[in-house]
């Protein structure tokens, strides 16, 4: 495995992990009715998720151009992190809406 491949895998894992962690912090802030903080944390979560997605998109673009990406357990793990972060972020958004309704 070369350094560039590892950079792609770690870029996805780290940014997706950060996105999920920030979304969780936002959920905790919403539980305390601190919706301003929750909103800021979700903005940061989105930025991290965008970074992870950009790494993935670059990889997909290269694949479409004929530069094949090796598939192994590292890449599967990275993709799992990304999809989990996306799903978790979607869930947290909905839960924040519910916490806001309950706070009124």
């Amino acid at each position: 495995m070369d350094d560039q491949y590892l950079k792609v895998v770690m870029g996805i894992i780290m940014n997706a992990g950060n996105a999920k962690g920030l979304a969780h912090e936002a959920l905790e802030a919403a539980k305390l009715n601190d919706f301003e903080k929750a909103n800021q944390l979700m903005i940061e979560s989105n930025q991290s998720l965008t970074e992870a997605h950009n790494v993935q998109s670059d990889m997909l673009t290269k694949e479409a151009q004929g530069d094949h990406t090796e598939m192994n357990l590292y890449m599967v793990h990275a993709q799992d992190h990304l999809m989990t972060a996306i799903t978790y972020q979607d869930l947290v958004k909905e839960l924040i809406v519910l916490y806001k309704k309950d706070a009124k």
Side-chain angles (χ1 to χ4, degrees), residues 31-80:
K31 286 179 184 178
L32 300 172
N33 294 332
D34 190 348
F35 300 110
E36 186 175 318
K37 183 176 180 181
N39 183 56
Q40 182 57 43
L41 288 163
M42 287 304 290
I43 289 170
E44 293 174 34
S45 176
N46 257 339
Q47 291 168 344
S48 289
L49 195 59
T50 297
E51 286 297 317
H53 188 262
N54 287 343
V55 172
Q56 182 191 48
S57 293
D58 288 344
M59 181 185 66
L60 292 171
T61 298
K62 288 177 184 174
E63 183 78 25
Q65 295 170 342
D67 186 6
H68 181 66
T69 302
E70 176 187 354
M71 271 301 164
N72 59 27
L73 190 55
Y74 294 113
M75 186 57 74
V76 171
H77 184 65
Q79 295 300 313
D80 182 51

Side-chain angles (χ1 to χ4, degrees), residues 30 33 35 94-104:
N33 294 332
F35 300 110
E94 294 300 319
L95 290 170
I96 289 172
V97 168
L98 292 175
Y99 278 115
K100 281 182 183 178
K101 283 183 181 179
D102 192 48
K104 291 181 182 181

